[in-house]
Coordinates of all heavy atoms in Angstrom, one line a residue:
M125 N 62.8 220.0 -138.9 CA 63.9 219.2 -138.4 C 63.7 218.9 -136.9 O 63.9 217.8 -136.5 CB 65.2 220.0 -138.6 CG 66.4 219.2 -138.3 SD 66.5 217.8 -139.4 CE 68.3 217.7 -139.5
K126 N 63.2 219.8 -136.1 CA 62.9 219.5 -134.7 C 61.8 218.5 -134.6 O 61.8 217.7 -133.7 CB 62.5 220.8 -134.0 CG 63.6 221.8 -133.7 CD 63.1 223.0 -132.9 CE 64.3 223.9 -132.7 NZ 63.8 225.1 -131.9
H127 N 60.8 218.5 -135.5 CA 59.7 217.6 -135.5 C 60.3 216.2 -135.7 O 59.9 215.2 -135.0 CB 58.7 217.9 -136.5 CG 57.5 217.0 -136.6 ND1 56.6 216.9 -135.5 CD2 57.1 216.1 -137.5 CE1 55.7 216.0 -135.8 NE2 56.0 215.5 -137.0
L128 N 61.2 216.0 -136.6 CA 61.8 214.7 -136.9 C 62.6 214.2 -135.7 O 62.5 213.0 -135.4 CB 62.7 214.8 -138.2 CG 63.4 213.5 -138.6 CD1 62.4 212.4 -138.9 CD2 64.3 213.7 -139.8
A129 N 63.3 215.1 -135.1 CA 64.1 214.7 -134.0 C 63.2 214.2 -132.8 O 63.5 213.2 -132.1 CB 65.1 215.8 -133.5
L130 N 62.2 215.0 -132.6 CA 61.2 214.6 -131.6 C 60.5 213.3 -131.8 O 60.4 212.4 -131.0 CB 60.1 215.7 -131.4 CG 59.1 215.5 -130.3 CD1 59.8 215.3 -129.0 CD2 58.1 216.6 -130.3
T131 N 60.2 213.0 -133.1 CA 59.6 211.8 -133.5 C 60.5 210.6 -133.2 O 60.1 209.6 -132.7 CB 59.2 211.8 -135.0 OG1 58.2 212.9 -135.2 CG2 58.5 210.5 -135.4
I132 N 61.8 210.8 -133.6 CA 62.8 209.7 -133.4 C 63.0 209.5 -131.9 O 63.0 208.3 -131.5 CB 64.1 210.1 -134.1 CG1 63.9 210.0 -135.6 CG2 65.2 209.1 -133.6 CD1 65.1 210.6 -136.4
L133 N 63.0 210.5 -131.1 CA 63.2 210.4 -129.7 C 62.0 209.6 -129.1 O 62.2 208.7 -128.3 CB 63.4 211.8 -129.0 CG 63.5 211.8 -127.5 CD1 64.7 211.1 -127.0 CD2 63.4 213.2 -127.0
L134 N 60.8 210.0 -129.4 CA 59.6 209.3 -128.9 C 59.6 207.9 -129.3 O 59.2 207.0 -128.5 CB 58.4 210.0 -129.3 CG 58.2 211.4 -128.7 CD1 56.9 212.1 -129.3 CD2 58.0 211.3 -127.2
A135 N 60.0 207.6 -130.5 CA 60.0 206.2 -131.0 C 61.0 205.4 -130.2 O 60.8 204.2 -129.8 CB 60.3 206.1 -132.5
T136 N 62.2 205.9 -129.9 CA 63.2 205.3 -129.2 C 62.7 205.0 -127.7 O 62.9 203.9 -127.2 CB 64.5 206.1 -129.1 OG1 64.9 206.4 -130.5 CG2 65.6 205.4 -128.4
I137 N 62.1 206.0 -127.1 CA 61.6 205.8 -125.8 C 60.6 204.7 -125.7 O 60.5 203.9 -124.8 CB 61.0 207.1 -125.2 CG1 62.2 208.1 -125.0 CG2 60.2 206.9 -123.9 CD1 61.7 209.5 -124.7
S138 N 59.7 204.7 -126.7 CA 58.6 203.7 -126.8 C 59.2 202.3 -126.9 O 58.8 201.4 -126.2 CB 57.7 204.0 -128.0 OG 56.7 203.0 -128.1
I139 N 60.2 202.1 -127.8 CA 60.8 200.8 -127.9 C 61.5 200.4 -126.7 O 61.4 199.3 -126.2 CB 61.8 200.9 -129.1 CG1 61.1 201.0 -130.4 CG2 62.7 199.6 -129.1 CD1 61.9 201.3 -131.6
S140 N 62.2 201.3 -126.0 CA 62.9 201.0 -124.7 C 61.9 200.6 -123.7 O 62.2 199.7 -122.9 CB 63.7 202.2 -124.3 OG 64.7 202.5 -125.2
A141 N 60.8 201.2 -123.6 CA 59.8 200.9 -122.6 C 59.2 199.5 -122.8 O 58.8 198.9 -121.8 CB 58.7 202.0 -122.6
H142 N 59.2 199.1 -124.0 CA 58.7 197.7 -124.3 C 59.7 196.7 -124.4 O 59.4 195.5 -124.6 CB 57.8 197.8 -125.6 CG 56.6 198.5 -125.4 ND1 56.5 199.9 -125.3 CD2 55.3 198.1 -125.3 CE1 55.3 200.3 -125.2 NE2 54.5 199.2 -125.2
A143 N 61.0 197.0 -124.2 CA 62.1 196.1 -124.2 C 61.9 195.0 -123.1 O 61.5 195.4 -122.0 CB 63.4 196.8 -124.1
K144 N 62.3 193.8 -123.4 CA 62.2 192.8 -122.4 C 63.3 192.9 -121.4 O 64.4 193.3 -121.7 CB 62.2 191.4 -123.1 CG 61.0 191.2 -123.9 CD 61.0 189.8 -124.6 CE 59.8 189.6 -125.4 NZ 59.8 188.4 -126.1
K145 N 63.0 192.6 -120.1 CA 63.9 192.7 -119.0 C 65.0 191.6 -119.2 O 64.7 190.5 -119.6 CB 63.1 192.5 -117.7 CG 63.9 192.8 -116.5 CD 63.6 194.2 -116.2 CE 64.2 194.6 -114.9 NZ 64.9 195.9 -115.1
E146 N 66.2 192.0 -118.9 CA 67.3 191.0 -118.9 C 67.6 190.6 -117.5 O 67.9 191.4 -116.6 CB 68.6 191.7 -119.5 CG 68.5 192.0 -120.9 CD 68.4 190.7 -121.8 OE1 69.0 189.7 -121.5 OE2 67.6 190.8 -122.8
C147 N 67.4 189.3 -117.2 CA 67.6 188.8 -115.8 C 68.8 187.8 -115.7 O 69.3 187.6 -114.6 CB 66.3 188.1 -115.4 SG 64.9 189.2 -115.2
T148 N 69.1 187.2 -116.8 CA 70.3 186.3 -116.8 C 70.9 186.2 -118.2 O 70.2 186.5 -119.2 CB 69.9 184.9 -116.3 OG1 71.0 184.1 -116.2 CG2 68.9 184.2 -117.3
S149 N 72.1 185.8 -118.2 CA 72.8 185.6 -119.5 C 73.0 184.1 -119.7 O 73.6 183.6 -120.7 CB 74.1 186.3 -119.6 OG 75.0 185.9 -118.6
E150 N 72.6 183.3 -118.7 CA 72.7 181.8 -118.8 C 71.8 181.2 -119.8 O 70.7 181.7 -120.0 CB 72.4 181.2 -117.4 CG 73.4 181.6 -116.3 CD 74.8 180.9 -116.5 OE1 74.8 179.9 -117.1 OE2 75.7 181.5 -115.9
P151 N 72.2 180.1 -120.5 CA 71.4 179.5 -121.4 C 70.2 178.8 -120.7 O 70.3 178.5 -119.5 CB 72.3 178.4 -122.1 CG 73.4 178.2 -121.1 CD 73.5 179.5 -120.3
K152 N 69.1 178.6 -121.5 CA 67.9 178.0 -120.9 C 68.1 176.6 -120.2 O 67.3 176.3 -119.3 CB 66.8 177.9 -122.0 CG 66.2 179.3 -122.2 CD 64.9 179.1 -123.0 CE 64.2 180.5 -123.1 NZ 62.9 180.4 -123.7
D153 N 69.1 175.9 -120.7 CA 69.3 174.6 -120.0 C 69.8 174.7 -118.6 O 69.8 173.7 -117.8 CB 70.2 173.7 -120.9 CG 71.6 174.2 -121.0 OD1 71.9 175.4 -120.7 OD2 72.5 173.4 -121.5
K154 N 70.2 175.9 -118.2 CA 70.6 176.2 -116.8 C 69.4 176.7 -115.9 O 69.6 176.8 -114.7 CB 71.7 177.2 -116.8 CG 72.9 176.8 -117.6 CD 74.0 176.1 -116.7 CE 75.2 175.8 -117.6 NZ 76.3 175.5 -117.0
W155 N 68.3 177.0 -116.6 CA 67.2 177.6 -115.8 C 66.4 176.6 -115.0 O 66.4 175.4 -115.4 CB 66.2 178.2 -116.8 CG 66.7 179.4 -117.6 CD1 68.0 179.9 -117.7 CD2 65.9 180.3 -118.3 NE1 68.0 181.0 -118.5 CE2 66.7 181.3 -118.9 CE3 64.5 180.4 -118.5 CZ2 66.2 182.4 -119.7 CZ3 64.0 181.5 -119.3 CH2 64.9 182.4 -119.9
M156 N 65.8 177.0 -113.9 CA 64.9 176.1 -113.2 C 63.7 175.9 -114.1 O 63.4 176.7 -114.9 CB 64.4 176.9 -112.0 CG 65.4 177.3 -110.9 SD 64.7 178.3 -109.6 CE 63.7 177.2 -108.7
T157 N 63.1 174.7 -114.0 CA 61.9 174.5 -114.7 C 60.8 175.4 -114.2 O 60.9 175.8 -113.0 CB 61.4 173.0 -114.6 OG1 61.1 172.8 -113.2 CG2 62.5 172.0 -115.0
E158 N 59.8 175.7 -115.0 CA 58.7 176.5 -114.5 C 58.0 175.9 -113.3 O 57.7 176.6 -112.4 CB 57.7 176.7 -115.7 CG 58.1 177.6 -116.8 CD 57.1 177.8 -117.9 OE1 55.9 177.6 -117.6 OE2 57.5 178.1 -119.0
E159 N 57.9 174.6 -113.3 CA 57.2 173.9 -112.2 C 58.0 174.1 -110.9 O 57.5 174.4 -109.8 CB 57.0 172.4 -112.5 CG 56.4 171.7 -111.4 CD 56.2 170.2 -111.7 OE1 55.9 169.9 -112.9 OE2 56.3 169.4 -110.8
A160 N 59.4 173.9 -111.0 CA 60.2 174.0 -109.8 C 60.2 175.5 -109.3 O 60.2 175.8 -108.1 CB 61.6 173.6 -110.1
F161 N 60.3 176.4 -110.3 CA 60.3 177.8 -109.9 C 59.0 178.2 -109.2 O 59.0 178.8 -108.1 CB 60.4 178.7 -111.2 CG 60.2 180.1 -110.9 CD1 61.1 180.9 -110.3 CD2 58.9 180.7 -111.3 CE1 60.8 182.3 -110.0 CE2 58.7 182.0 -111.0 CZ 59.6 182.8 -110.4
K162 N 57.8 177.8 -109.7 CA 56.6 178.1 -109.1 C 56.5 177.5 -107.7 O 56.0 178.2 -106.8 CB 55.4 177.6 -110.0 CG 55.2 178.4 -111.3 CD 54.1 177.8 -112.2 CE 54.0 178.6 -113.5 NZ 53.0 178.0 -114.3
K163 N 56.9 176.3 -107.5 CA 56.9 175.7 -106.2 C 57.8 176.5 -105.2 O 57.4 176.7 -104.1 CB 57.4 174.2 -106.3 CG 56.4 173.3 -106.8 CD 56.9 171.9 -106.8 CE 55.9 170.9 -107.4 NZ 56.3 169.6 -107.5
K164 N 58.9 176.9 -105.7 CA 59.8 177.7 -104.8 C 59.2 179.0 -104.4 O 59.2 179.4 -103.2 CB 61.1 178.0 -105.6 CG 62.1 178.9 -104.8 CD 63.3 179.3 -105.7 CE 64.4 180.1 -105.1 NZ 64.0 181.2 -104.2
V165 N 58.6 179.7 -105.4 CA 58.0 181.0 -105.1 C 56.8 180.9 -104.2 O 56.6 181.6 -103.2 CB 57.6 181.7 -106.4 CG1 56.8 183.0 -106.2 CG2 58.9 182.1 -107.2
E166 N 56.0 179.9 -104.4 CA 54.8 179.6 -103.6 C 55.2 179.2 -102.2 O 54.6 179.6 -101.2 CB 53.9 178.6 -104.2 CG 53.2 179.2 -105.4 CD 52.4 178.1 -106.3 OE1 52.7 176.9 -106.1 OE2 51.6 178.5 -107.1
A167 N 56.3 178.5 -102.0 CA 56.8 178.1 -100.7 C 57.3 179.4 -99.9 O 57.3 179.4 -98.7 CB 58.0 177.1 -100.8
E168 N 57.7 180.4 -100.7 CA 58.1 181.7 -100.0 C 56.9 182.6 -99.7 O 57.1 183.7 -99.2 CB 59.0 182.5 -101.0 CG 60.3 181.8 -101.2 CD 61.2 182.4 -102.2 OE1 60.8 183.4 -102.8 OE2 62.3 181.9 -102.5
G169 N 55.7 182.1 -100.0 CA 54.5 182.8 -99.5 C 53.8 183.6 -100.6 O 52.8 184.3 -100.4
Y170 N 54.2 183.5 -101.9 CA 53.6 184.2 -103.0 C 52.5 183.4 -103.5 O 52.5 182.2 -103.6 CB 54.6 184.5 -104.1 CG 55.6 185.5 -103.7 CD1 56.9 185.1 -103.4 CD2 55.4 186.9 -103.8 CE1 57.9 185.9 -103.0 CE2 56.4 187.8 -103.4 CZ 57.7 187.3 -103.1 OH 58.6 188.2 -102.7
K171 N 51.4 184.0 -104.0 CA 50.3 183.4 -104.7 C 50.4 183.9 -106.1 O 50.3 185.1 -106.3 CB 49.0 183.7 -104.1 CG 48.8 183.1 -102.7 CD 47.4 182.9 -102.3 CE 47.2 182.5 -100.9 NZ 47.7 181.3 -100.4
I172 N 50.5 183.0 -107.1 CA 50.7 183.4 -108.5 C 49.3 183.4 -109.2 O 48.7 182.4 -109.2 CB 51.6 182.4 -109.2 CG1 53.0 182.4 -108.5 CG2 51.8 182.8 -110.7 CD1 53.9 181.3 -109.0
S173 N 49.0 184.6 -109.7 CA 47.7 184.6 -110.5 C 48.1 184.6 -112.0 O 47.2 184.2 -112.8 CB 46.9 185.9 -110.1 OG 47.6 187.0 -110.4
K174 N 49.3 185.1 -112.3 CA 49.7 185.1 -113.7 C 51.2 184.9 -113.8 O 51.9 185.5 -113.0 CB 49.3 186.4 -114.4 CG 49.6 186.4 -115.9 CD 49.0 187.7 -116.5 CE 49.2 187.7 -118.0 NZ 48.6 188.9 -118.6
F175 N 51.7 184.0 -114.6 CA 53.1 183.7 -114.8 C 53.4 184.0 -116.3 O 52.7 183.7 -117.2 CB 53.4 182.2 -114.5 CG 54.8 181.8 -114.9 CD1 55.8 182.0 -114.0 CD2 55.0 181.2 -116.1 CE1 57.1 181.6 -114.3 CE2 56.3 180.8 -116.4 CZ 57.4 181.0 -115.5
K176 N 54.6 184.7 -116.5 CA 55.1 185.0 -117.8 C 56.6 184.6 -117.9 O 57.3 184.6 -116.8 CB 54.9 186.5 -118.1 CG 53.6 187.0 -118.3 CD 53.6 188.5 -118.5 CE 52.5 189.0 -119.3 NZ 52.6 190.4 -119.6
Q177 N 57.1 184.5 -119.1 CA 58.5 184.3 -119.3 C 59.0 185.3 -120.4 O 59.2 185.0 -121.5 CB 58.8 182.9 -119.7 CG 60.3 182.5 -119.7 CD 60.9 182.4 -121.1 OE1 60.5 181.6 -121.9 NE2 61.8 183.3 -121.3
P178 N 59.0 186.6 -120.0 CA 59.5 187.6 -121.0 C 61.0 187.7 -121.1 O 61.7 187.7 -120.0 CB 58.9 188.9 -120.4 CG 58.9 188.7 -118.9 CD 58.6 187.2 -118.7
G179 N 61.5 187.6 -122.2 CA 63.0 187.7 -122.4 C 63.7 186.7 -121.6 O 63.5 185.5 -121.8
T180 N 64.6 187.1 -120.7 CA 65.4 186.1 -120.0 C 65.0 186.1 -118.5 O 65.8 185.9 -117.6 CB 66.9 186.5 -120.1 OG1 67.1 187.8 -119.5 CG2 67.4 186.4 -121.5
C181 N 63.7 186.3 -118.2 CA 63.2 186.4 -116.9 C 62.0 185.4 -116.7 O 61.3 185.1 -117.7 CB 62.6 187.8 -116.5 SG 63.8 189.1 -116.7
Y182 N 61.7 185.2 -115.4 CA 60.4 184.6 -115.0 C 59.7 185.8 -114.4 O 60.3 186.5 -113.6 CB 60.5 183.5 -114.1 CG 60.9 182.1 -114.7 CD1 61.4 181.1 -113.9 CD2 60.7 181.9 -116.0 CE1 61.7 179.9 -114.5 CE2 61.0 180.6 -116.6 CZ 61.6 179.7 -115.8 OH 61.9 178.4 -116.4
E183 N 58.4 186.0 -114.7 CA 57.7 187.1 -114.1 C 56.4 186.6 -113.5 O 55.7 185.8 -114.1 CB 57.4 188.2 -115.2 CG 56.6 189.3 -114.7 CD 56.3 190.3 -115.8 OE1 56.5 190.0 -117.0 OE2 55.8 191.4 -115.5
I184 N 56.1 187.1 -112.3 CA 54.8 186.7 -111.7 C 54.0 188.0 -111.4 O 54.5 189.0 -111.1 CB 54.9 185.9 -110.5 CG1 55.5 186.7 -109.3 CG2 55.6 184.6 -110.7 CD1 55.3 186.1 -107.9
Y185 N 52.7 187.8 -111.5 CA 51.7 188.8 -111.0 C 50.9 188.0 -109.9 O 50.6 186.8 -110.2 CB 50.7 189.2 -112.1 CG 51.4 190.0 -113.2 CD1 52.0 189.4 -114.2 CD2 51.3 191.4 -113.2 CE1 52.6 190.1 -115.3 CE2 51.9 192.2 -114.2 CZ 52.5 191.5 -115.2 OH 53.1 192.2 -116.2
G186 N 50.7 188.6 -108.8 CA 49.9 187.9 -107.8 C 50.0 188.7 -106.5 O 50.0 189.9 -106.5
T187 N 50.1 187.9 -105.4 CA 50.1 188.6 -104.1 C 51.3 188.0 -103.2 O 51.7 186.8 -103.4 CB 48.8 188.4 -103.3 OG1 48.5 187.0 -103.2 CG2 47.7 189.1 -103.9
N188 N 51.8 188.8 -102.3 CA 52.8 188.3 -101.4 C 52.2 187.7 -100.1 O 51.0 187.7 -100.1 CB 53.8 189.4 -101.1 CG 53.2 190.6 -100.3 OD1 52.1 190.5 -99.8 ND2 53.9 191.7 -100.3
K189 N 53.0 187.3 -99.2 CA 52.4 186.7 -98.0 C 51.6 187.6 -97.1 O 50.8 187.1 -96.4 CB 53.5 186.0 -97.2 CG 54.6 186.9 -96.7 CD 55.7 186.1 -96.0 CE 57.0 186.9 -95.8 NZ 58.0 186.1 -95.3
E190 N 51.7 188.9 -97.3 CA 50.9 189.9 -96.7 C 49.6 190.2 -97.4 O 48.8 191.0 -97.0 CB 51.6 191.2 -96.4 CG 52.8 191.1 -95.4 CD 54.0 190.6 -96.0 OE1 54.3 190.8 -97.2 OE2 54.8 189.9 -95.2
G191 N 49.4 189.6 -98.6 CA 48.3 189.8 -99.4 C 48.3 191.0 -100.3 O 47.3 191.3 -101.0
K192 N 49.5 191.7 -100.4 CA 49.6 192.8 -101.3 C 49.9 192.4 -102.7 O 50.7 191.4 -102.9 CB 50.8 193.7 -100.8 CG 50.4 194.4 -99.4 CD 51.5 195.3 -99.0 CE 51.2 195.9 -97.7 NZ 52.3 196.8 -97.2
K193 N 49.4 193.1 -103.7 CA 49.6 192.8 -105.1 C 51.1 193.0 -105.4 O 51.7 194.0 -105.0 CB 48.7 193.6 -106.0 CG 47.3 193.2 -105.9 CD 46.5 194.0 -107.0 CE 45.0 193.6 -106.9 NZ 44.2 194.3 -107.9
V194 N 51.6 192.1 -106.2 CA 53.0 192.2 -106.7 C 53.1 191.9 -108.2 O 52.3 191.2 -108.7 CB 53.9 191.3 -105.9 CG1 54.0 191.7 -104.4 CG2 53.5 189.8 -106.0
E195 N 54.2 192.5 -108.7 CA 54.6 192.2 -110.1 C 56.2 192.1 -109.9 O 56.8 193.0 -109.6 CB 54.3 193.2 -111.1 CG 54.8 193.0 -112.5 CD 54.6 194.1 -113.5 OE1 53.8 195.0 -113.2 OE2 55.2 194.0 -114.5
I196 N 56.7 190.8 -110.1 CA 58.1 190.6 -109.8 C 58.8 189.9 -111.0 O 58.2 188.9 -111.5 CB 58.3 189.8 -108.5 CG1 57.5 190.5 -107.4 CG2 59.8 189.7 -108.2 CD1 57.5 189.6 -106.1
Y197 N 60.0 190.4 -111.3 CA 60.8 189.7 -112.3 C 61.9 188.9 -111.5 O 62.5 189.4 -110.6 CB 61.6 190.7 -113.2 CG 60.7 191.4 -114.1 CD1 60.0 192.6 -113.8 CD2 60.5 191.0 -115.4 CE1 59.2 193.3 -114.7 CE2 59.7 191.6 -116.4 CZ 59.0 192.8 -116.0 OH 58.2 193.4 -116.9
F198 N 62.1 187.7 -111.9 CA 63.0 186.8 -111.2 C 64.1 186.3 -112.2 O 63.8 186.1 -113.4 CB 62.3 185.5 -110.7 CG 61.4 185.8 -109.5 CD1 60.0 186.1 -109.8 CD2 61.7 185.7 -108.2 CE1 59.1 186.3 -108.8 CE2 60.8 185.9 -107.2 CZ 59.5 186.2 -107.5
N199 N 65.3 186.0 -111.6 CA 66.3 185.3 -112.4 C 65.9 183.9 -112.5 O 65.6 183.2 -111.4 CB 67.6 185.4 -111.6 CG 68.8 184.8 -112.3 OD1 68.6 183.7 -112.9 ND2 69.9 185.4 -112.3
P200 N 65.7 183.3 -113.7 CA 65.2 182.0 -113.8 C 66.2 180.9 -113.4 O 65.9 179.7 -113.3 CB 64.8 181.9 -115.3 CG 65.7 182.8 -115.9 CD 65.9 183.9 -115.0
V201 N 67.5 181.2 -113.2 CA 68.5 180.3 -112.9 C 68.4 179.9 -111.4 O 68.4 178.8 -111.0 CB 69.9 180.8 -113.2 CG1 71.0 179.8 -112.8 CG2 70.0 181.0 -114.7
D202 N 68.3 181.0 -110.5 CA 68.3 180.8 -109.1 C 67.1 181.2 -108.4 O 67.0 181.1 -107.2 CB 69.6 181.4 -108.5 CG 69.7 182.9 -108.6 OD1 68.7 183.5 -109.1 OD2 70.7 183.5 -108.4
G203 N 66.2 181.9 -109.1 CA 64.9 182.3 -108.5 C 65.1 183.6 -107.7 O 64.1 184.0 -107.0
S204 N 66.2 184.3 -107.8 CA 66.4 185.6 -107.1 C 65.6 186.7 -107.7 O 65.3 186.7 -109.0 CB 67.8 186.0 -107.0 OG 68.4 186.1 -108.3
I205 N 65.1 187.6 -106.9 CA 64.4 188.8 -107.4 C 65.3 189.8 -108.2 O 66.3 190.2 -107.6 CB 63.6 189.5 -106.3 CG1 62.6 188.6 -105.7 CG2 63.0 190.8 -106.8 CD1 61.9 189.1 -104.5
V206 N 64.9 190.1 -109.4 CA 65.7 191.1 -110.2 C 65.0 192.5 -110.0 O 65.7 193.5 -109.9 CB 65.8 190.7 -111.7 CG1 66.4 191.7 -112.5 CG2 66.5 189.3 -111.8
K207 N 63.7 192.5 -110.1 CA 63.0 193.8 -110.0 C 61.6 193.5 -109.5 O 60.9 192.5 -110.0 CB 62.9 194.5 -111.4 CG 62.2 195.8 -111.3 CD 62.2 196.5 -112.6 CE 61.4 197.8 -112.5 NZ 61.4 198.5 -113.8
A208 N 61.1 194.3 -108.5 CA 59.8 194.1 -108.0 C 59.1 195.5 -108.2 O 59.6 196.5 -107.9 CB 59.8 193.7 -106.5
K209 N 57.8 195.4 -108.6 CA 57.0 196.6 -108.7 C 55.9 196.6 -107.7 O 55.4 195.6 -107.3 CB 56.4 196.7 -110.1 CG 57.4 196.9 -111.2 CD 56.7 197.0 -112.5 CE 57.6 197.1 -113.7 NZ 57.0 197.2 -114.9

């Protein structure tokens, strides 16, 4: 019984870890276009090496204006940072 409970717990944790980030509840027609978003972020000094759109976020991998590596989730409606790693 303990083995089953542990298996269920680990499966739940695994699913949660892979869940997509929630950045907005707005419909996609309210989102910035990818092109406009990328221009905004690059104007702020970021260099984008990889762009993703997981769930309801825009996500970039790249470097900031100091040249440090970043992984950042943005709200696609206004371009605000939701989570930075």
